[in-house]
Amino acid sequence: MSSAALYNDQTGVETAVDAGQESTPSTSNNSGAAFGLFSADFKKNEDLKEMLESNKESPKLEAMKRIVGLIAKGKNASELFPAVVKNVASKNIELKKLVYVYLVRYAEEQQDLALLSISTFQRALKDPNQFIRASALRVLSSIRVPIIVPIMMLAIKEAASDLSPYVRKTSAHAIQKLFSLDPDQKEQLIEVIEKLLKDKSTLVAGSVVMAFEEVCPDRIDLIHKNYRKLCNLLVDVEEWGQVVIISMLTRYARTQFTSPWKGDALDENSEKAFYESDAERNQAETNTYIMDPDHRLLLRNTKPLLQSRNTAVVMSVGQLYWHLAPKHEVSLVTKSLVRLLRSHREVQFIVLQNIATMSIQRKGMFEPYMKSFYVRSTDPTHIKTLKLEILTNLANEANISTILREFQTYVKSQDKAFAAATIQAIGRCATNISEVADTCLNGLVLLLSNRDETVVAESVVVIKKLLQTQPSEHSEIIKHMAKLFDNITVPMARASILWLMGEYCEKVPKIAPDVLRKMAKSFTAEEDIVKLQIVNLAAKLYLTNSKQTKLLTQYILNLGKYDQNYDIRDRTRFIRQLIVPSEKSSALNKYARRILLAAKPAPVLESAFKDRERFQLGTLSHSLNTKAAGYQELSDWPSVAPDTAVRNVEIIEPVNEIVPKAGKSKHLKSDKFYSDEEEEKEERSDSSSSEDGSSSSSSSSEESEDESQEESSKHSSASENTSSESEQNSSDSESDSKQKKTKKTQKKKKAKTAAAQSDSDENGNGVEASSSSMESSSASETDSDSDTDEDMKPAQNNIREKSKLQVKPKKEVSLLDLDDFSQTSTNAPKPSVVSHSLLSDLEGLSLSNISSAMQVTTSTFSQVKDYDLLHHMSGKGLAAKYHFPRQPCLYQPCMVTVQLVLSNTSDHSLEEIHIGERSPASLNIHCFNTIERLEPGASVTVSMGIDFSDSTQAANFQLCTKTDQFNVSIQPAVGELLMPSTMTEEDFCKEQSKLLGMNETSATITVPTANISRLAINKEILSVANVGAVPSNQSDVHRFAGKAVSSGSLVLVSLSLQQSPTALLTVNTEKSVMASMLLRVLTQALTAA
Amino acid sequence: MVDAEQSDLCRAHIVAAEMIHSLFLINNTGDIFLEKHWKSVISRSTPHHYLISVYRGKLFLLSVIQSEVPPLFVIEFLHRVADTIQDYFGECTENVIKDNVVIVYELLEEMLDNGFPLATESNVLKEMIRPPNILRSVVNTLTGSSNVGDTLPTGQLSNVPWRRVGVKYTNNEAYFDVIEEIDAIIDKSGTTVFAEIQGVIEACVRLSGMPDLTLSFMNPRLLDDVSFHPCVRFKRWEAEHVLSFIPPDGNFNLMTYHVNSQNLVAIPVYVKQNISFFDSGSCGRLDITIGPKQTMGKTVECLSVTIPMPKTVLNANLTATHGSYTFDLATKVLIWDIGKLNPQKLPNLKGTLSIQSGVPKPEENPSLSIGLKIQQLAISGLKVNRLDMYGEKYKPFKGVKYLTKAGKFLVRT
């Protein structure tokens, strides 16, 4: 397109648009008048300038609208920059937005002037309105002016810790913009990304992963800690974010988990192995693959997204399953992928491409849906050919007859390109399925008498290929083709037949020379490609049957020698030298026969999609079948899985930093619709973990609870929304709605009568007769300061009654529990309880499967003692405390979990806090990940695992910062070297009877009377030793069971109150040193008043 | 669809992985009439990039991308742009876009930030940029006020991004249309080669506040495969097979579903057809009769037959007992519009076709596309059981409507 034409054309369009707009006096001056192009343009801009400089807003707005119109049409409006930029601080929000649009477009070209506007944005970044902060950051980061990089960096950093998740989302977007403007900022940007990755908001998740993918896709280590969170948030993330996260997690999983296909590969691909050696297979089965729970988590949490309306999401889940799931689970996605075929044709095209690739490897996956790939005459050709491709891939002995019948219809299609593709497809079926080879071949031969040239030509070509693959007796077909030769005009087909004649000339010794004779006559009239084959045929016949064809050959070679095409002249010359012996003949002459009549390898008829499997499904590269810029290879599975512990979440974020929003923490504080159940659940999970240790023995129960909480949190999302809103905005309307909600009314559902329903069905348009409205009534826990406080109690009772009435829709609620908690639920939960349940939530995630294997309960005795590890004086500002959280260690079962609270009391930030040398050197410590940076005044909690080998010997190690090392030691109390274990009274007695004599230590102690209640004794004992109480019928004997962490040997403690105040305290264990120490501390604890 | 061109090597050192770089709107004569860039500007003449386009309403929406991105991501987004324009202005055509170029440009600005979709929910967008209506444009011209909202849409922040807050109606109503389409291929002899039902539930919900709706079916097991609007809670569906959701405000597609089982698919009409071309005399004969098959006692309406004739057919001389037919001489498409199907007197179309002389007769007979509608019937038998509302205390007006249509209903001849 020449630039003048472009210009012309646009002006025309623009006038049209101008006419369409409300005509102000100023525009009407110009329109219609026949100005020269440039002067008109110039004039217009002058006029716009005036309007922009006016002191009224409406002409300014009008001018900006026209300018944006110009930009939209791709016209240059940059000369107005000075006039426009003045309006950047306008109060009128629409004008401002238009100015922003303009700025983003032209700032790069007018850098100096653009700088004028920067201060406005800097001011706006501090605006109390989050919307304004966000849009200021959006524009600021879109101004591609290198000089403001530091300002952008600062703004991004600030926005990343903004209270509003929307602003944080914007900062994630800004990261990418800054990175493309100045890649040198990478390191700093990665820090921001790391911070944002920890964000628990669903709003931020998609955007920050996008930034991660762009800036540092190789820093997979940043994902570890956030992996589980991302998996769990995924369902609630907006659609576009889901796509990005899924594709990132696909890559992640391929580096972190082992292949789930090892076992499968055996039965899928090599059936021989199955039959040959059962023993081998059995062996393979015995060392069965166990999927990493995190791997499973990903698969489980992505599955519901297959039901998304967004085709990109469905496809990305599809590819995730394809690349990550065990083979037998991949077919889960089939149905959804087939569903996408109903979408727009562009979507169809991409999905069909992917299915084509998949169907090569896994026929079974799509075979049940074969009919969905039947071609309609209304499909566009490229869709038709793809469907054909898939049908061909799916063909097997069982369905081939159905497919061939379908193909027969296609061959007759008016769409000749498609008909030709069908013939190719038939050829492929014939080679793949030997049973039908003859049928196909005969069918193709019949097609030779088709009236359409393309069909005939394609048939010949395919027959040629088929005959080559089946070098058996096919002289009949060749004869038939020779007969048809005169009627075939398509050069490619003619050439193919000639080639066949030559190749199999010995099988048709009578016909071949005759064909050559005919060709000699028509040689000059043939197409080049045919001529080449005539020369070829002549040469071959000369070698096999020189008696009959010598003269013909020479004649043809002479014709070829003077042909107009140099290719043919060359070929003729070459052939002549090769076959005709002369005195000067070269050494090649002897080999002419071997050269020309060598057995040719048969062409392989295979899918064009065969080589696409090297690309990840669903990617652009896959669609193009060529590597697109920025394509990242999917790595192979590691043979040994990297440490799975890296994904354990250690750092329990202080809740204060981030305003609760979507994510798990939100339901704690929100104004809920099903608030009674919610609370109750809270209470339950909480009580189960704190009071009866035995019931929470398997963390899977916690996990499922977790899920149901998540679900119910979704139920209540509407009201949550309002509450979280109000927390941030406290806008008037919000509080209004809250007050409304607290006015309680309730109605019973009317049962819908059958008659009413059939009525409505008859009418169709009719209203669903029954009307039932449930009242939302909810009590907020957070707005206790509001005036609705007093209503709360009766309100909740109301709800409770109501939920008894409506049993059906809420199956998950068991009514009994309501009574149990009727007292507690009216109280607002104490903060400690809340944070505790949050904590156990998080643990529930990380514990999955591990603790259940250990059969150890998590006793969460809430009073933990803090011990000093490093005083801030000796640590040059770094202070460290530790405590034993009494959780099973996630890294290794033989380790004791120790939580460190590191705080920076100095006035400068500390960097690279990590664990250095340890002594004894053999000491087995699982270190926390290096803390890159600890700001002054900040503190962080990390957890580590130490294997004390069941001794109270101190673990010595160095706590290092970037500059210093501090020797520290942790000496465990003997009680912390235990883990509680669950057993019945019987088991306890049985075990105890095995541990008598040497293994028993006992002492008689005096227990103060204040301490003899069961509760008091439990409390005292649990405070010093991490053991579990054994439920007992006897009121005077208390039993506790535990296990040594390292060795796993049982430690049984029993206290029998013979006659108060004296009691007999017995410890039974193989570890005699431990026993005596334990006895000592227990005695101390119990006897102390 | 996807064109590849060699990526610009000069730029290769920075692998800028932004998603959508630029968007061009192109009419069907090939002229660009709107362009929007989210990164630095791309020259129109030499795009050394990957191009992905979609075709909607005689418009091409063409996006430029520079690096690897899932193509469906882009395609889905472009369709969402077209949907949004359609939602705002009633249709997505060149004229409408040209008339509202500023609003469209502002919309694009909000929908994509740095090539990554930002706000694509129509409820959210409408809060930021109000769709034009006559009243408002009059008010705007008089008062100089604008179409641009000055607050951040609350939907953006919540986990119910599809619904705006503070919705108020005097009449609270919720309507659901269960629309099913029959996709079928019938072969020459009248046997069904392939048939399935695609259903969609279109909702029009105008309810105040934050209603929480539950829609249940009499026979949810029928549904073979489903996809939902993001508002529907997956887990509730998995566990109880009910649709539980907080609806967006206004019109939306609540779910789509698929009924696969072939014997369940009732074919409402049969077609007796005979189209033949003769070698001599350059003419052909056409005779089509349509009768009711499994209509569940309902009336078949809007019945039509579309036949793309072979290119060699010059004209058609036919008589129809019901309705009227048209033959487009340029596209060679014969459309027979029948209307209501009367079971007592079956519609018939009969007559001769004139064919270009001197060319061989058409190899294949054209296939027939059938169009039809049956009111008040979901052909799969799917029935809505009840709709309950929680969260608000007023009584909404509720309605369910059923409709069966022919989708890609093809009769091979």
Side-chain angles (χ1 to χ4, degrees), chain A residues 446-458:
Chain A
L446 284 181
L447 285 176
L448 291 177
S449 12
N450 194 294
R451 262 188 308 242
D452 190 87
E453 279 187 358
T454 20
V455 171
V456 175
E458 203 65 39

Side-chain angles (χ1 to χ4, degrees), chain A residues 182-237:
Chain A
D182 182 8
D184 294 341
Q185 304 293 319
K186 189 172 175 181
E187 287 312 310
Q188 285 197 63
L189 288 173
I190 291 177
E191 275 173 36
V192 185
I193 289 173
E194 193 174 1
K195 182 185 168 77
L196 284 172
L197 275 173
K198 290 187 188 132
D199 204 304
K200 293 194 186 69
S201 165
T202 49
L203 262 183
V204 184
S207 303
V208 69
V209 171
M210 188 63 223
F212 170 84
E213 287 284 74
E214 185 168 332
V215 178
C216 51
D218 46 335
R219 286 291 303 274
I220 214 97
D221 56 298
L222 296 181
I223 301 301
H224 292 321
K225 288 275 177 287
N226 302 295
Y227 173 82
R228 287 172 193 159
K229 185 195 73 193
L230 284 174
C231 286
N232 286 313
L233 286 184
L234 199 55
V235 174
D236 292 322
V237 173

